[in-house]
Amino acid sequence: MDETVRWLTPEEQRAWRGFIRLQERLGGRLGRRLQSESKLSPADFAVLVHLTDTPDGRQRYQDLARALEWEKSRMSHHIARMAGRGMVVREECPDDGRGAFVVITEAGRAAIEAAAPRHVEAVRELFMDHVTPAELRVLAEISERVVSKLDEDSTG
């Protein structure tokens, strides 16, 4: 390994560790609230959000797994559990014998519609109420730039 390691400066390390702590604590608190108030796990909620973001409430397995950054086995197991609870169904793809769709059910729609108002209130209380509009704009710009680079790296 001839490459020189580009160690983080104290300022970079402070920002990185703060970001990781924020992500872990905020994710943990939001997840616990979601589970206790709506009986949905953060993973359930993520799947349902992605499905409700499409007009017909369906996505190909592989597209949903890619959007969530999940491995194939995790996707398969989690969707099977959600299907067992009646929140989604699996439909074969008529154009591709190997492909399948994940489709939200009425029970899934009811679950996310019940959970969303409480979840957004928790997001406001735990995060939004503590940052300024200018900070939100900067955070959005940073997030969009980094995500764009990650997406570019994964497809190129």
Side-chain angles (χ1 to χ4, degrees):
M1 185 158 180
D2 296 343
E3 234 176 90
T4 302
V5 175
R6 296 184 319 140
W7 296 106
L8 300 180
T9 66
E11 184 178 6
E12 290 169 332
Q13 192 170 82
R14 176 178 172 240
W16 178 248
R17 287 184 177 178
F19 169 72
I20 295 300
R21 274 193 309 277
L22 168 66
Q23 187 179 22
E24 290 169 345
R25 290 199 182 138
L26 186 58
R29 299 256 174 101
L30 287 170
R32 284 189 298 277
R33 276 195 180 182
L34 191 60
Q35 185 74 47
S36 70
E37 293 175 356
S38 69
K39 307 299 183 237
L40 292 176
S41 70
D44 295 337
F45 192 79
V47 168
L48 295 173
V49 164
H50 279 277
L51 293 175
T52 58
D53 281 348
T54 63
D56 58 355
R58 73 177 47 231
Q59 280 192 333
R60 290 181 72 100
Y61 255 79
Q62 65 191 28
D63 295 339
L64 186 55
R66 192 176 306 114
L68 294 169
E69 296 275 343
W70 287 2
E71 296 295 325
K72 200 172 173 180
S73 64
R74 178 181 182 189
M75 185 71 183
S76 180
H77 290 295
H78 195 80
I79 295 303
R81 286 190 298 272
M82 289 181 75
R85 294 188 340 254
M87 290 193 279
V88 298
V89 293
R90 176 190 165 103
E91 288 183 359
E92 298 305 317
C93 178
D95 304 339
D96 178 1
R98 295 175 298 149
F101 289 99
V102 179
V103 184
I104 192 168
T105 63
E106 287 305 315
R109 282 193 192 280
I112 195 160
E113 286 171 5
R118 289 182 173 153
H119 181 69
V120 75
E121 189 53 43
V123 169
R124 285 194 175 286
E125 178 187 323
L126 297 172
F127 184 76
M128 294 295 172
D129 291 348
H130 307 286
V131 294
T132 67
E135 290 167 331
L136 281 176
R137 282 190 295 280
V138 170
L139 178 61
E141 291 167 7
I142 292 167
S143 300
E144 290 163 0
R145 183 172 57 245
V146 173
V147 167
S148 177
K149 179 62 177 154
L150 293 171
D151 288 348
E152 179 183 302
D153 289 348
S154 72
T155 59

